[in-house]
Amino acid sequence: MPAISSTAPGKVILFGEHAVVYGQPAIAIPVTEVAAKAIITPDPAAAAGSIHITAPQINLDANFTDLPSIDPLVAAIRATLDVLGIAKPPAFRLRVTSTIPVAGGLGSGAAVSVAIIRSVSAFLGHPLPDVQVSALAFDVEKLHHGTPSGIDNTVITYGKAVYYIKDKRIEMIPIAKSFNLVVADTGISTPTKETVADVRRHWESDPEPYNKIFESIGKLAIAARAAIEQGNNENLGPLMNENHELLQKLDVSSPDLDKLVLAAREAGGWGAKLSGGGRGGNMIALAPRDRADEIKTALEFAGAKSAFITVVK
Ligand code: MEV
């Protein structure tokens, strides 16, 4: 059996994070500038069923059976074996690498799961269709996320811009006119699980004002979809700014995120907002084509740990 490798991109949430958990629409975009990779090599010298996992970035070098079942890498392998009905696969070694910052709002967990599920199923001769890959990655997301909406595994599996409503049919958004986003990292990692749980606590103690914020965010996603489909990209800027303000009201922004958002706007961005779970992680800025480089530099100058430009098309 030859070695098999699969990659999965990162993602940004353009509109609607957090509100999407409560049934509102959201828009997410894959970003291929960062990616997770899973490589499988057969290990014919080892006994059938033996699986060895290495993930140098998290200092993992262990046998599958020595790791806890809730470990997300183990869970992704187990879910794939179970769905294929294979109890004892031919022995293999799995190596996982990723350029997606962990707990940075760019979908690192879902991308690792998708890459693993694809490589394991392909190695076993039964590459799974996207719908199944996404469903299995969603099951793994639930382990380390609590109550995920499913948007991360969806956009990462399909690798296309999606308009997503929880438990509804997935809709891809045609991009009428390409646009530039600058993505910048505060360098602060905050697990999405924490911010999602905090928002839920607030919502449970006083649902009414939170429901209103979620609905307002949902309306922005609806307006943004129309703008994208009509090629009115500049109109997305003010919508992003409004979305950021509503996320501030949900208390998921942070001084570092707010600083970068302001810096991007001052450097000529049409709009900017945090992206993902918040309280750290990444922000995104919508950049006029001729200003993307300057905005990236301004963000680095304002303290971003790293920044890159992605073209949404
Ligand atoms: C995470 O990328 C987006 C959140 O809305 C959580 C989720 O949808 O599962 C914060």
Side-chain angles (χ1 to χ4, degrees), residues 148-165:
S149 65
I151 193 168
D152 284 15
N153 51 281
T154 302
V155 65
I156 286 167
T157 300
Y158 290 91
K160 299 223 164 71
V162 295
Y163 179 82
Y164 184 85
I165 305 176

Side-chain angles (χ1 to χ4, degrees), residues 64-79 139-140 143:
F64 181 76
T65 44
D66 295 336
L67 291 165
S69 58
I70 55 148
D71 179 285
L73 308 190
V74 170
I77 298 171
R78 167 65 50 217
D139 288 342
V140 180
L143 281 178

